[in-house]
Amino acid sequence: MSGLLLDTAEELRGLARTGRRAVVMTMGALHEGHATLIRSARELVGAQGQVVVTVFVNPLQFGANEDLDRYPRTLEADRALAEGAGADAVFAPAVDEVYPGGDPQVRISAGPMGERLEGATRPGHFDGMLTVVAKLLHLTQPDLALFGQKDAQQLALIRRMVTDLNFPVEVVGVPTVREEDGLALSSRNRYLSPAERRTALALSRALFAGQDRLAAQAALRARAEASPASDERATALARLGEIRASADAHAVSAAGTGLPDAVRAAAHHVLEEAGRHEPPLVLDYLALVDPQDFTEAGPEFTGRAVLAVAAKVGTTRLIDNIPLEFGAHS
Protein backbone atom coordinates (compact mmCIF):
# COMPACT_ATOMS: atom_id res chain seq x y z
CA MET A 1 0.00 0.00 0.00
CA SER A 2 3.00 2.28 0.53
CA GLY A 3 3.11 5.25 -1.82
CA LEU A 4 -0.47 4.85 -3.04
CA LEU A 5 -1.78 7.97 -4.83
CA LEU A 6 -5.54 8.58 -4.74
CA ASP A 7 -7.29 11.19 -6.88
CA THR A 8 -10.99 10.73 -6.17
CA ALA A 9 -13.33 10.33 -3.23
CA GLU A 10 -14.38 6.97 -4.63
CA GLU A 11 -10.78 5.72 -4.57
CA LEU A 12 -10.42 7.00 -1.03
CA ARG A 13 -13.58 5.17 0.07
CA GLY A 14 -12.12 1.99 -1.43
CA LEU A 15 -8.97 2.26 0.69
CA ALA A 16 -9.12 -0.67 3.12
CA ARG A 17 -8.60 0.37 6.73
CA THR A 18 -5.84 -1.23 8.77
CA GLY A 19 -5.94 -0.40 12.45
CA ARG A 20 -6.39 3.21 13.47
CA ARG A 21 -6.25 5.83 10.73
CA ALA A 22 -4.48 9.18 11.06
CA VAL A 23 -4.74 12.03 8.58
CA VAL A 24 -2.25 14.83 7.93
CA MET A 25 -3.81 17.62 5.88
CA THR A 26 -1.52 19.74 3.72
CA MET A 27 -1.58 22.14 0.80
CA GLY A 28 1.47 20.49 -0.70
CA ALA A 29 4.98 21.92 -1.11
CA LEU A 30 5.89 19.55 1.71
CA HIS A 31 8.95 20.17 3.89
CA GLU A 32 10.47 18.79 7.07
CA GLY A 33 7.66 20.27 9.15
CA HIS A 34 5.16 18.14 7.26
CA ALA A 35 7.47 15.13 7.51
CA THR A 36 7.47 15.58 11.29
CA LEU A 37 3.66 15.54 11.28
CA ILE A 38 3.63 12.35 9.21
CA ARG A 39 6.20 10.63 11.40
CA SER A 40 4.23 11.63 14.48
CA ALA A 41 1.09 10.18 12.91
CA ARG A 42 2.88 6.92 12.17
CA GLU A 43 4.13 6.71 15.74
CA LEU A 44 0.64 7.30 17.13
CA VAL A 45 -1.14 4.67 15.00
CA GLY A 46 1.69 2.16 15.03
CA ALA A 47 2.90 -0.22 12.37
CA GLN A 48 -0.54 -1.75 11.97
CA GLY A 49 -2.28 1.62 11.62
CA GLN A 50 -2.75 3.76 8.54
CA VAL A 51 -1.51 7.27 7.69
CA VAL A 52 -3.24 9.26 4.95
CA VAL A 53 -1.76 12.56 3.75
CA THR A 54 -4.01 14.97 1.87
CA VAL A 55 -2.54 17.39 -0.67
CA PHE A 56 -5.03 20.06 -1.72
CA VAL A 57 -4.53 23.76 -2.39
CA ASN A 58 -7.85 25.06 -1.11
CA PRO A 59 -9.05 28.10 -3.07
CA LEU A 60 -11.63 29.02 -0.41
CA GLN A 61 -8.97 30.16 2.06
CA PHE A 62 -7.11 32.51 -0.30
CA GLY A 63 -8.12 36.16 -0.53
CA ALA A 64 -8.33 38.22 -3.71
CA ASN A 65 -4.77 39.54 -3.38
CA GLU A 66 -3.14 36.40 -2.01
CA ASP A 67 -0.85 33.88 -3.63
CA LEU A 68 -3.19 31.11 -4.85
CA ASP A 69 -1.83 31.19 -8.41
CA ARG A 70 1.82 31.15 -7.39
CA TYR A 71 1.41 28.70 -4.52
CA PRO A 72 3.86 25.88 -5.31
CA ARG A 73 2.47 22.61 -6.70
CA THR A 74 5.05 19.84 -6.29
CA LEU A 75 2.98 16.67 -6.15
CA GLU A 76 5.66 14.17 -7.17
CA ALA A 77 8.11 15.54 -4.61
CA ASP A 78 5.32 15.68 -2.03
CA ARG A 79 4.44 12.06 -2.66
CA ALA A 80 8.05 10.98 -2.25
CA LEU A 81 8.46 12.92 1.00
CA ALA A 82 5.17 11.57 2.39
CA GLU A 83 6.12 7.99 1.55
CA GLY A 84 9.59 8.44 3.05
CA ALA A 85 8.09 9.77 6.28
CA GLY A 86 5.74 6.81 6.64
CA ALA A 87 2.49 7.64 4.82
CA ASP A 88 0.45 4.77 3.39
CA ALA A 89 -1.51 6.89 0.92
CA VAL A 90 -1.64 10.40 -0.52
CA PHE A 91 -5.05 11.82 -1.37
CA ALA A 92 -4.54 14.59 -3.95
CA PRO A 93 -7.92 15.53 -5.40
CA ALA A 94 -8.65 18.19 -8.02
CA VAL A 95 -10.70 21.25 -7.06
CA ASP A 96 -13.84 19.94 -8.79
CA GLU A 97 -13.51 16.67 -6.86
CA VAL A 98 -13.63 18.50 -3.52
CA TYR A 99 -16.17 21.09 -4.70
CA PRO A 100 -18.13 19.26 -7.43
CA GLY A 101 -20.83 21.93 -7.62
CA GLY A 102 -18.41 24.85 -7.69
CA ASP A 103 -17.91 27.07 -4.66
CA PRO A 104 -20.03 25.58 -1.86
CA GLN A 105 -23.08 27.57 -0.82
CA VAL A 106 -23.05 26.02 2.66
CA ARG A 107 -19.85 26.64 4.60
CA ILE A 108 -18.50 26.39 8.12
CA SER A 109 -18.40 29.68 10.02
CA ALA A 110 -15.36 30.27 12.20
CA GLY A 111 -17.34 32.56 14.51
CA PRO A 112 -15.83 35.35 16.62
CA MET A 113 -12.46 33.62 17.07
CA GLY A 114 -12.12 33.50 13.31
CA GLU A 115 -12.39 37.28 13.07
CA ARG A 116 -9.36 37.96 15.28
CA LEU A 117 -5.68 38.28 14.30
CA GLU A 118 -5.32 36.23 11.10
CA GLY A 119 -9.05 36.49 10.53
CA ALA A 120 -8.98 40.28 10.76
CA THR A 121 -6.14 40.44 8.26
CA ARG A 122 -7.60 37.77 5.95
CA PRO A 123 -11.42 38.01 6.06
CA GLY A 124 -13.10 34.71 5.26
CA HIS A 125 -9.83 32.75 5.45
CA PHE A 126 -10.84 30.64 8.42
CA ASP A 127 -14.33 29.95 7.07
CA GLY A 128 -12.68 28.51 3.97
CA MET A 129 -10.13 26.57 6.01
CA LEU A 130 -12.72 25.02 8.31
CA THR A 131 -14.99 24.15 5.37
CA VAL A 132 -12.27 22.13 3.65
CA VAL A 133 -11.08 20.54 6.89
CA ALA A 134 -14.66 19.43 7.61
CA LYS A 135 -14.96 17.97 4.11
CA LEU A 136 -11.63 16.18 4.35
CA LEU A 137 -12.52 14.77 7.77
CA HIS A 138 -15.72 13.36 6.26
CA LEU A 139 -13.85 11.96 3.27
CA THR A 140 -10.90 10.44 5.14
CA GLN A 141 -12.82 9.30 8.25
CA PRO A 142 -9.76 9.34 10.53
CA ASP A 143 -9.43 8.45 14.19
CA LEU A 144 -6.69 11.08 14.56
CA ALA A 145 -5.96 14.33 12.72
CA LEU A 146 -2.58 15.99 13.17
CA PHE A 147 -1.88 19.71 12.66
CA GLY A 148 1.17 21.88 13.29
CA GLN A 149 1.24 24.32 16.18
CA LYS A 150 2.85 26.93 13.92
CA ASP A 151 -0.68 27.71 12.71
CA ALA A 152 -1.90 28.15 16.28
CA GLN A 153 -5.15 29.96 15.50
CA GLN A 154 -6.01 27.40 12.82
CA LEU A 155 -5.38 24.58 15.29
CA ALA A 156 -7.53 26.26 17.96
CA LEU A 157 -10.41 26.73 15.49
CA ILE A 158 -10.23 23.13 14.27
CA ARG A 159 -10.39 21.92 17.86
CA ARG A 160 -13.36 24.19 18.47
CA MET A 161 -15.16 22.92 15.35
CA VAL A 162 -14.52 19.28 16.26
CA THR A 163 -15.91 19.90 19.76
CA ASP A 164 -18.87 22.06 18.75
CA LEU A 165 -19.96 19.87 15.81
CA ASN A 166 -19.22 16.48 17.44
CA PHE A 167 -16.70 15.19 14.94
CA PRO A 168 -15.56 11.71 16.06
CA VAL A 169 -11.85 12.49 15.73
CA GLU A 170 -8.99 13.33 18.07
CA VAL A 171 -7.08 16.48 17.07
CA VAL A 172 -3.36 16.35 17.84
CA GLY A 173 -1.11 19.43 17.77
CA VAL A 174 2.55 18.90 16.84
CA PRO A 175 5.24 21.44 17.91
CA THR A 176 6.65 23.87 15.35
CA VAL A 177 9.70 22.69 13.42
CA ARG A 178 12.42 25.32 12.94
CA GLU A 179 15.46 25.63 10.74
CA GLU A 180 18.87 25.95 12.39
CA ASP A 181 18.67 29.75 12.35
CA GLY A 182 15.30 29.70 14.14
CA LEU A 183 13.02 30.47 11.19
CA ALA A 184 9.83 28.41 11.41
CA LEU A 185 9.53 26.02 8.46
CA SER A 186 6.99 27.23 5.91
CA SER A 187 6.29 26.62 2.25
CA ARG A 188 6.52 30.40 1.78
CA ASN A 189 10.15 30.58 2.99
CA ARG A 190 11.27 29.72 -0.54
CA TYR A 191 10.03 33.13 -1.71
CA LEU A 192 12.54 34.98 0.50
CA SER A 193 15.73 36.41 -0.95
CA PRO A 194 18.87 36.07 1.24
CA ALA A 195 18.45 39.65 2.50
CA GLU A 196 14.74 39.13 3.18
CA ARG A 197 15.48 35.95 5.07
CA ARG A 198 17.91 37.79 7.34
CA THR A 199 15.17 40.29 8.17
CA ALA A 200 12.59 37.53 8.62
CA LEU A 201 14.65 36.00 11.42
CA ALA A 202 13.36 38.83 13.61
CA LEU A 203 10.05 36.96 13.97
CA SER A 204 11.53 34.07 15.91
CA ARG A 205 14.01 36.35 17.70
CA ALA A 206 11.12 38.48 18.94
CA LEU A 207 9.25 35.46 20.23
CA PHE A 208 12.30 34.12 22.02
CA ALA A 209 12.99 37.58 23.48
CA GLY A 210 9.49 37.52 24.95
CA GLN A 211 10.08 34.00 26.27
CA ASP A 212 13.38 35.09 27.86
CA ARG A 213 11.74 38.09 29.49
CA LEU A 214 9.07 35.85 30.97
CA ALA A 215 11.73 33.51 32.37
CA ALA A 216 13.69 36.42 33.87
CA GLN A 217 10.59 38.00 35.39
CA ALA A 218 9.47 34.63 36.75
CA ALA A 219 12.85 34.23 38.47
CA LEU A 220 12.49 37.67 40.02
CA ARG A 221 8.97 36.80 41.13
CA ALA A 222 10.26 33.68 42.84
CA ARG A 223 12.67 35.90 44.76
CA ALA A 224 9.83 38.26 45.61
CA GLU A 225 7.81 35.38 47.04
CA ALA A 226 10.81 34.41 49.15
CA SER A 227 11.34 38.04 50.30
CA PRO A 228 7.90 39.53 51.05
CA ALA A 229 9.44 42.62 52.66
CA SER A 230 11.41 43.63 49.57
CA ASP A 231 9.75 47.08 49.36
CA GLU A 232 10.97 47.92 52.84
CA ARG A 233 14.40 46.44 52.03
CA ALA A 234 14.66 48.56 48.88
CA THR A 235 13.87 51.74 50.82
CA ALA A 236 16.40 50.89 53.49
CA LEU A 237 19.09 50.16 50.92
CA ALA A 238 18.41 53.47 49.18
CA ARG A 239 18.92 55.35 52.47
CA LEU A 240 22.29 53.62 52.81
CA GLY A 241 23.30 54.68 49.31
CA GLU A 242 23.12 51.16 47.91
CA ILE A 243 21.45 52.35 44.72
CA ARG A 244 22.12 49.27 42.58
CA ALA A 245 20.96 46.88 45.30
CA SER A 246 17.94 49.10 45.93
CA ALA A 247 16.98 49.03 42.25
CA ASP A 248 17.34 45.25 42.25
CA ALA A 249 15.09 44.95 45.28
CA HIS A 250 12.47 47.17 43.65
CA ALA A 251 12.60 44.97 40.55
CA VAL A 252 12.08 41.90 42.71
CA SER A 253 9.13 43.56 44.41
CA ALA A 254 7.46 44.48 41.09
CA ALA A 255 8.17 41.19 39.34
CA GLY A 256 4.83 39.62 40.16
CA THR A 257 2.77 42.12 38.17
CA GLY A 258 2.42 42.98 34.51
CA LEU A 259 4.23 39.95 33.10
CA PRO A 260 2.23 39.87 29.85
CA ASP A 261 3.04 43.53 29.21
CA ALA A 262 6.74 42.90 29.83
CA VAL A 263 6.73 39.96 27.40
CA ARG A 264 5.02 42.01 24.71
CA ALA A 265 7.45 44.90 25.21
CA ALA A 266 10.51 42.64 24.83
CA ALA A 267 9.17 41.15 21.60
CA HIS A 268 8.13 44.55 20.22
CA HIS A 269 11.65 45.91 20.74
CA VAL A 270 13.11 43.28 18.39
CA LEU A 271 10.41 43.84 15.77
CA GLU A 272 10.84 47.61 15.86
CA GLU A 273 14.55 47.21 15.15
CA ALA A 274 13.76 44.89 12.22
CA GLY A 275 11.46 47.56 10.83
CA ARG A 276 14.60 49.65 10.23
CA HIS A 277 16.42 46.88 8.34
CA GLU A 278 16.84 46.78 4.58
CA PRO A 279 14.55 45.30 3.48
CA PRO A 280 12.34 46.21 6.44
CA LEU A 281 10.01 43.98 8.35
CA VAL A 282 6.44 45.32 8.12
CA LEU A 283 4.57 44.19 11.22
CA ASP A 284 0.99 43.02 10.87
CA TYR A 285 0.44 42.12 14.51
CA LEU A 286 2.11 40.94 17.67
CA ALA A 287 -0.33 39.47 20.17
CA LEU A 288 -0.24 37.56 23.42
CA VAL A 289 -3.48 35.62 23.54
CA ASP A 290 -5.49 33.05 25.43
CA PRO A 291 -5.39 29.94 23.19
CA GLN A 292 -8.99 29.09 24.05
CA ASP A 293 -10.47 32.06 22.18
CA PHE A 294 -7.51 34.16 20.95
CA THR A 295 -8.48 37.19 23.01
CA GLU A 296 -5.62 39.36 24.26
CA ALA A 297 -4.09 38.39 27.61
CA GLY A 298 -4.52 41.10 30.24
CA PRO A 299 -1.80 42.38 32.62
CA GLU A 300 -2.69 39.85 35.32
CA PHE A 301 -3.25 36.87 33.00
CA THR A 302 -2.26 33.43 34.30
CA GLY A 303 -2.18 30.07 32.57
CA ARG A 304 -1.25 29.03 29.06
CA ALA A 305 -0.87 31.70 26.40
CA VAL A 306 0.33 32.01 22.82
CA LEU A 307 2.70 34.77 21.73
CA ALA A 308 1.93 35.19 18.02
CA VAL A 309 3.39 37.39 15.31
CA ALA A 310 2.66 38.06 11.65
CA ALA A 311 4.65 40.30 9.32
CA LYS A 312 5.62 40.89 5.73
CA VAL A 313 9.14 40.90 4.39
CA GLY A 314 9.15 42.00 0.78
CA THR A 315 6.03 40.43 -0.70
CA THR A 316 6.09 37.37 1.58
CA ARG A 317 3.83 37.21 4.62
CA LEU A 318 5.01 34.99 7.48
CA ILE A 319 3.52 33.92 10.80
CA ASP A 320 5.05 32.37 13.89
CA ASN A 321 4.21 31.76 17.54
CA ILE A 322 5.39 30.11 20.73
CA PRO A 323 3.42 28.81 23.71
CA LEU A 324 4.10 30.39 27.10
CA GLU A 325 3.00 29.59 30.63
CA PHE A 326 2.17 32.35 33.13
CA GLY A 327 2.13 31.20 36.74
CA ALA A 328 -0.41 32.40 39.30
CA HIS A 329 0.53 35.51 41.25
CA SER A 330 1.12 35.05 44.95
Side-chain angles (χ1 to χ4, degrees):
M1 185 184 299
S2 182
L4 189 62
L5 180 64
L6 309 172
D7 299 315
T8 67
E10 183 177 0
E11 290 175 335
L12 184 59
R13 284 192 294 270
L15 180 64
R17 298 183 74 103
T18 60
R20 292 203 302 167
R21 177 181 286 179
V23 66
V24 175
M25 298 182 190
T26 82
M27 292 207 302
L30 302 190
H31 49 64
E32 180 58 27
H34 298 106
T36 298
L37 287 169
I38 297 166
R39 286 193 292 266
S40 298
R42 171 55 64 201
E43 183 176 345
L44 287 170
V45 301
Q48 301 305 312
Q50 190 175 69
V51 177
V52 176
V53 174
T54 68
V55 175
F56 180 65
V57 182
N58 178 33
L60 295 192
Q61 63 194 75
F62 285 81
N65 298 315
E66 294 184 334
D67 54 1
L68 174 61
D69 290 338
R70 72 167 183 153
Y71 198 88
R73 273 81 166 174
T74 56
L75 182 57
E76 285 307 310
D78 294 343
R79 182 181 180 184
L81 184 146
E83 181 178 355
D88 295 298
V90 173
F91 178 50
V95 172
D96 58 4
E97 182 69 26
V98 177
Y99 304 119
D103 284 356
Q105 296 185 37
V106 177
R107 307 186 185 196
I108 301 291
S109 170
M113 197 198 315
E115 297 171 358
R116 298 172 186 136
L117 299 188
E118 286 297 293
T121 301
R122 307 172 67 189
H125 165 73
F126 285 126
D127 292 356
M129 179 275 295
L130 289 178
T131 297
V132 80
V133 168
K135 293 201 71 160
L136 290 172
L137 287 175
H138 285 309
L139 288 167
T140 58
Q141 295 289 300
D143 301 290
L144 305 168
L146 286 80
F147 298 91
Q149 291 179 359
K150 184 177 83 72
D151 298 296
Q153 193 171 4
Q154 169 180 283
L155 175 59
L157 282 162
I158 291 170
R159 283 181 165 146
R160 186 81 251 176
M161 178 183 73
V162 164
T163 298
D164 288 351
L165 301 184
N166 297 100
F167 278 78
V169 63
E170 179 185 350
V171 175
V172 179
V174 177
T176 300
V177 178
R178 299 185 180 277
E179 301 192 41
E180 289 186 4
D181 57 10
L183 189 66
L185 283 174
S186 169
S187 301
R188 291 189 168 95
N189 290 353
R190 68 187 67 194
Y191 302 147
L192 297 169
S193 70
E196 289 170 343
R197 184 184 175 92
R198 286 193 293 273
T199 296
L201 294 176
L203 272 74
S204 57
R205 284 204 306 269
L207 298 179
F208 295 138
Q211 184 180 59
D212 290 346
R213 177 64 62 84
L214 175 60
Q217 293 290 102
L220 283 173
R221 185 176 62 193
R223 290 174 58 191
E225 290 171 349
S227 305
S230 54
D231 272 340
E232 291 84 347
R233 178 172 178 270
T235 301
L237 285 166
R239 290 197 187 106
L240 293 171
E242 297 288 344
I243 303 303
R244 181 173 296 179
S246 172
D248 178 68
H250 276 300
V252 169
S253 177
T257 61
L259 288 181
D261 291 339
V263 167
R264 277 185 283 255
H268 263 301
H269 178 72
V270 175
L271 296 169
E272 287 167 2
E273 283 192 349
R276 296 187 287 271
H277 290 177
E278 184 55 47
L281 181 142
V282 180
L283 182 64
D284 187 345
Y285 62 76
L286 174 76
L288 182 66
V289 297
D290 184 334
Q292 296 300 312
D293 57 11
F294 270 67
T295 56
E296 198 74 28
E300 303 303 317
F301 180 87
T302 60
R304 292 183 179 179
V306 171
L307 183 61
V309 63
K312 264 192 170 184
V313 182
T315 60
T316 304
R317 186 174 184 275
L318 300 170
I319 63 172
D320 200 353
N321 72 85
I322 56 171
L324 297 175
E325 182 79 28
F326 289 82
H329 298 312
S330 59

